[in-house]
Amino acid sequence: VTSIKEIAKKIGVSPSTVSFVLNGKEKEMRISETRAKEIRKVARQLGYQRNQVAFSLRTGKSKIIALIVDTISGSFFSALARTIEQEAQNLGYRVIYGSTIANLNKDENVIQVLHQYHVDGFLIIPSEGMEKDISFLLAHKKPVVLLDSYFPGVPTSYVMVDNYEGIAKGVEHLINKGYKKIAFVCNDIKMVQMEERKKAFIETLKKRKLPYKKQLLCVTKYNSEKEEITREIETFIKTTKPEAVMFAANYLGVCGLQAIKNLRLKIPAGIAVICFDDLDIFNLFPPGITSLRQPIKEIAKAAFHLLMEEMHSTTKKKKKQVRLKAEIIIRHSS
Amino acid sequence: VTSIKEIAKKIGVSPSTVSFVLNGKEKEMRISETRAKEIRKVARQLGYQRNQVAFSLRTGKSKIIALIVDTISGSFFSALARTIEQEAQNLGYRVIYGSTIANLNKDENVIQVLHQYHVDGFLIIPSEGMEKDISFLLAHKKPVVLLDSYFPGVPTSYVMVDNYEGIAKGVEHLINKGYKKIAFVCNDIKMVQMEERKKAFIETLKKRKLPYKKQLLCVTKYNSEKEEITREIETFIKTTKPEAVMFAANYLGVCGLQAIKNLRLKIPAGIAVICFDDLDIFNLFPPGITSLRQPIKEIAKAAFHLLMEEMHSTTKKKKKQVRLKAEIIIRHSS
DNA sequence: TTGAAAGCGCTAACAG
DNA sequence: CTGTTAGCGCTTTCAA
């Protein structure tokens, strides 16, 4: 654990000189090339690595951004994380991940804690009840960018897929294929992205002159176990008997597939299937499940760069919103 | 951003008094109950939150542990992360995740960087070429526990599944079901866990008097794309024509399923399948894929508690090794 | 061209 | 029972 002081002592210069050189400020400080070279050499020999904690305390910067998610095992998260980490690295940032699900009861939650660690900025996939945390960050002037959703009452930058357009595209596809009795499986989470999807489903039906009835909607509980959700969907399909079903999220699609399997229905002969948000297995699973793919990489990149803008804009704080289109991937389930 | 100093000034006491109270040292410091109460009240009013960076600089502790993985999108990681985060939280630790895949080229890798941030301990799922990083941590007396594998030359604590026993169990199952020509699909990663699996396969065959030939082994490239691996497996099955195939890792199973689908083989009529390391879709995918389930929760817990021991053992540094059994889940693919 | 010194917020030994 | 003070390692202003 070599410190600047040690290097300085070893050479017989002051710590500040060493600091200047090691931070590439030798030019503006007009430190002689000889000195600079010597300092760099000794630093290398001693294996000097800056103490980030001291740096952070002194400067208030940490060169760390946080990626906060509901649960770290989601597929959306996995895909996102990779890209964000890449981008971050290119600009010399580290990203640390936090999940909110573990500490609901505690008053000391991830966001507060990471704030205490002087994290420079936050990328957040918001979930129900997080308004206050977001507001907290906003109040403390921490740069924040939301992904996948947002809170209508809380002015933030965000980037998300165009849910409405995506679902509409999917429903249209089903209708064009000749399906009339189309069901929609969503969850009871009270977030705009889900509301948008539900709304898009209903309105597209109406737009295409198909009757919309409440029975066509299956609202599963978000907090249930997988098995429970599967059972809910199973019952729903058994009683409603739709010709086609659209799942509003990929985990719902997975449960739905299980339900359909349990009911011994054939896809697409017995029931057609389409799912919002693609998954690897949708390609693998026979006969191949049609889906709406979110442009996850683009979402990640856009979000990261928005965050960087917020972090470095000394001027004003214009929040920006970005919406990207989903792509329909037609397989044999529809 | 309230500081201890502010609280102190507001009440008219010294910062140290405040610090003692806020850290629960009021008893041993014999601070009057009146003072203590007042301090706590004001702290709450002002919304005091300890500056972790300053704390860390002063004490050298961060109350953070790092979980280092190859890639953050693996299923093994997802499952692990949840449990570890729970456990950590119970003991007042935060966990931050780092992936090593992003920064192979850089000389400044995750481990070094996190070390600079004074992370208290490391949980690492090692991958090829990480010996030097592990050694670095060991040299700096950082507590380290490895998961899933280990390096023979580097003395560390670790916890992993009993690969040999697991694979043997799987192969025995296949043999008992009457399959004679059994193939094994693994990868070329040079880590003990893979070697153990390969060895177990070969030796179990011999033990049960089945002929082992090189052709029964399909060694895929670890760094290839999914599509490439799928193609390798496809070719392998086409030429070798095994009655049953065992996949040595779950991602190999997924690729293998795709390959089998491409070849239009029926499972298990055309080819029986078994996979090491279970996955949700193995249950869903028709007809249900037999697998060896790793006790991930137990692995996570054991690893975390080993780490805690290492972190708090003031005495000696006895490395401990833990091996847990895999469980066979018999479905209809075998 | 370089060095001295202050200070980020906190803890903890020591002194009252 | 409480306050003073030093110092963790670093950056940066100011002075030389």
Side-chain angles (χ1 to χ4, degrees), chain A residues 5 17 21 23 57 125 140 146 181 185 204 258 276 303 326:
Chain A
K5 223 198 282 182
T17 309
V21 171
N23 289 309
L57 179 60
I125 304 180
H140 285 78
L146 268 35
K181 191 171 181 185
V185 177
T204 307
Q258 181 70 51
F276 191 85

Side-chain angles (χ1 to χ4, degrees), chain B residues 85-126:
Chain B
E85 211 165 277
Q86 303 276 33
E87 298 288 311
Q89 173 140 320
N90 292 340
L91 299 190
Y93 281 85
R94 297 248 88 231
V95 13
I96 101 168
Y97 308 97
S99 72
T100 52
I101 200 152
N103 28 13
L104 287 174
N105 37 0
K106 289 265 205 174
D107 55 353
E108 204 194 34
N109 65 73
V110 214
I111 293 185
Q112 304 260 355
V113 173
L114 289 178
H115 179 243
Q116 291 168 34
Y117 281 104
H118 286 190
V119 162
D120 292 337
F122 286 80
L123 251 23
I124 302 180
I125 304 180

Side-chain angles (χ1 to χ4, degrees), chain B residues 50 78 92 153 157 168 178 188 192 197 207 226 240 243 248 268 292 310 322 330:
Chain B
R50 163 209 267 161
S78 307
S157 291
D188 61 352
V192 282
R197 292 177 199 176
K207 183 180 151 211
K226 267 191 138 159
T240 302
E243 296 167 27
L292 279 318
E310 292 229 357
V322 177
I330 298 174

